[in-house]
Amino acid sequence: MKASPFAAFPAITLRGRHASQRFFFPAAALFAALGPWLLLGIYLPGMPAVDIATHARGMLFGYVGALIAGYLGGRLLTRQLLTLFGLWLAGRWAEITPSGALVTQLLYAGFGLYLAIIVAPRFTAAKKWRNRMIAPLLIAIACFPLLLLVAGMLRLAPLLSLHSLLLLICLLMFFMGGRFITPLLARAYANRGATLPHRVQPALEGTVMLLLLVAAILDLAGTDSRWTSLPTGAAGLLLCLRLLRWRLPWRGLEQAALVAMGYGYLWLGLGLVVFSLSLAGLLPVTASLHVITIGALGTLSSTVMLKFSHAPGNAPARVHQLVVVLLSVAVLARFLAPMLSAYYRELLTLAATLWSVNFLLVGGTVLLANRSKPPGACSHPRSPA
């Protein structure tokens, strides 16, 4: 008898625990695939449209929130999963329906607050200050919609910028990306009978984290963007230096996940440098932001979803390679679009198409992996000590 396509999702029972990644990873991939086309309805007739601000909030609150819930949520009680996933779905629905700004903001805030309550306490036992920063960082990212809601009620909304949230997300990607890369790279070196040089690089890691935190605070404080550009650019350069010192193997099917993660990390460093130039008024802001969101966030999140949805050693190497190619071309197309105005719509459409193909591929691969797992199975990263 042919299996139902819904077999990828475990049956919800009234008792027990369920792996959050089995729900949030496919949902995040599907939402990511649809997201650009909701915005491109502005340019392409006959399609539903959201404005640029709603598109940005959908990606930063919705997509990133789903990633955090899937990656760090672990195995949740049924009531927790139903509440969290229900709030997330309601928020996505409110974005594209005339439900009112206040309802949408309340759903954003409710999901973020509940996510913070679930995830942040898992990092409170950390000993090193760099690891102890992650709990308040997760709270700040998850509760940013709540801060926006409160600021709007107090008429302080102009003081809160989504640029600040993006810088905090960059800090989280930098930290989590390093924790993802180092064990994979150490294993790759060990397989060759060598030792990984500069494993964690604690001084460099701490410096980048502080620089990004300072940049986010400067932006929140309404400081001249040229001052914010300095720590942002310095963090990007140091991130590239960290990657260079790791000496990653940049090709090979046997290390496909590591290579894909390395490219995502590289896009993060380059994106921060380019974003700093845009803050200084030297480049278009939207183009530079998409180097971070498409290149870094897209590649790193795709790699994480693929890696943690498969048993060790069974991750699809060719899919990791396709992720790198699809998103690298998408980044270049989106970055060049404002500079090649004669081909603006064509380049936007190309970038959106490649992004969507990537996440349909990732989502489909994750669903197939879920079907081969028992309902309670969950690959869950360990919290740092």
Side-chain angles (χ1 to χ4, degrees), residues 133 137 167-168 171 208-218:
M133 276 184 64
L137 175 63
L167 288 166
L168 293 176
L171 200 167
V208 172
M209 293 176 72
L210 289 176
L211 284 169
L212 289 174
L213 184 61
V214 168
I217 292 172
L218 288 174

Side-chain angles (χ1 to χ4, degrees), residues 30-380:
L30 178 60
F31 175 67
L34 294 175
W37 301 104
L38 298 174
L39 176 63
L40 286 179
I42 296 172
Y43 307 103
L44 303 175
M47 296 182 64
V50 298
D51 58 29
I52 294 175
T54 303
H55 171 71
R57 288 192 294 268
M59 296 309 295
L60 296 180
F61 300 163
Y63 180 63
V64 173
L67 290 175
I68 293 174
Y71 184 54
L72 297 175
R75 298 181 67 237
L76 301 178
L77 293 171
T78 300
R79 65 176 182 275
Q80 293 176 309
L81 181 59
L82 288 177
T83 302
L84 195 62
F85 197 61
L87 285 169
W88 186 86
L89 285 176
R92 308 291 71 74
W93 179 253
E95 287 169 353
I96 59 174
T97 57
S99 54
L102 180 60
V103 173
T104 306
Q105 289 177 324
L106 287 171
L107 289 170
Y108 286 156
F111 171 78
L113 180 60
Y114 194 49
L115 178 62
I117 290 171
I118 291 173
V119 172
R122 298 176 181 175
F123 290 84
T124 55
K127 298 180 178 62
K128 299 182 179 68
W129 70 267
R130 303 187 310 280
N131 300 333
R132 291 183 67 86
M133 276 184 64
I134 301 305
L137 175 63
L138 287 168
I139 292 171
I141 292 173
C143 293
F144 205 87
L146 179 61
L147 295 177
L148 281 177
L149 179 62
V150 173
M153 293 177 176
L154 298 177
R155 301 182 182 276
L156 298 174
L159 296 180
L160 287 176
S161 165
L162 289 182
H163 291 174
S164 310
L165 175 60
L166 183 62
L167 288 166
L168 293 176
I169 292 171
C170 287
L171 200 167
L172 184 63
M173 284 193 289
F174 168 75
F175 179 86
M176 291 297 182
R179 292 301 185 272
F180 193 101
I181 288 174
T182 47
L184 291 178
L185 189 56
R187 195 175 307 125
Y189 270 81
N191 290 338
R192 296 185 308 187
T195 303
L196 170 62
H198 312 294
R199 185 180 177 104
V200 176
Q201 306 175 55
L204 191 150
E205 181 180 77
T207 302
V208 172
M209 293 176 72
L210 289 176
L211 284 169
L212 289 174
L213 184 61
V214 168
I217 292 172
L218 288 174
D219 188 76
L220 279 171
T223 308
D224 190 309
S225 60
R226 288 173 294 183
W227 288 107
T228 307
S229 72
L230 295 176
T232 302
L237 291 173
L238 286 176
L239 190 155
C240 291
L241 175 61
R242 186 188 203 193
L243 192 57
L244 181 65
R245 296 178 74 190
W246 271 333
R247 289 185 252 168
L248 266 70
W250 289 102
R251 51 183 169 175
L253 279 176
E254 68 280 1
Q255 303 297 338
L258 174 59
V259 171
M261 202 72 183
Y263 275 104
Y265 218 61
L266 178 61
W267 280 123
L268 179 58
L270 295 176
L272 287 168
V273 172
V274 172
F275 184 42
S276 73
L277 295 176
S278 70
L279 290 173
L282 301 176
L283 286 173
V285 174
T286 54
S288 64
L289 287 175
H290 283 87
V291 176
I292 296 175
T293 54
I294 297 176
L297 179 59
T299 308
L300 293 173
S301 63
S302 296
T303 306
V304 166
M305 285 191 281
L306 290 170
K307 182 68 176 173
F308 282 94
S309 296
H310 288 75
N314 293 329
R318 292 294 184 188
V319 177
H320 284 298
Q321 292 184 324
L322 282 172
V323 165
V324 171
V325 173
L326 289 169
L327 293 182
S328 294
V329 178
V331 171
L332 295 175
R334 185 60 185 87
F335 182 73
L336 293 173
M339 304 168 201
L340 300 174
S341 56
Y343 304 98
Y344 184 71
R345 292 187 181 182
E346 291 79 2
L347 289 171
L348 282 185
T349 303
L350 174 62
T353 300
L354 294 174
W355 168 274
S356 296
V357 169
N358 172 81
F359 279 100
L360 289 175
L361 176 66
V362 169
T365 307
V366 168
L367 284 173
L368 288 174
N370 285 348
R371 291 179 63 177
S372 65
K373 285 184 178 182
C378 177
S379 301
H380 188 265

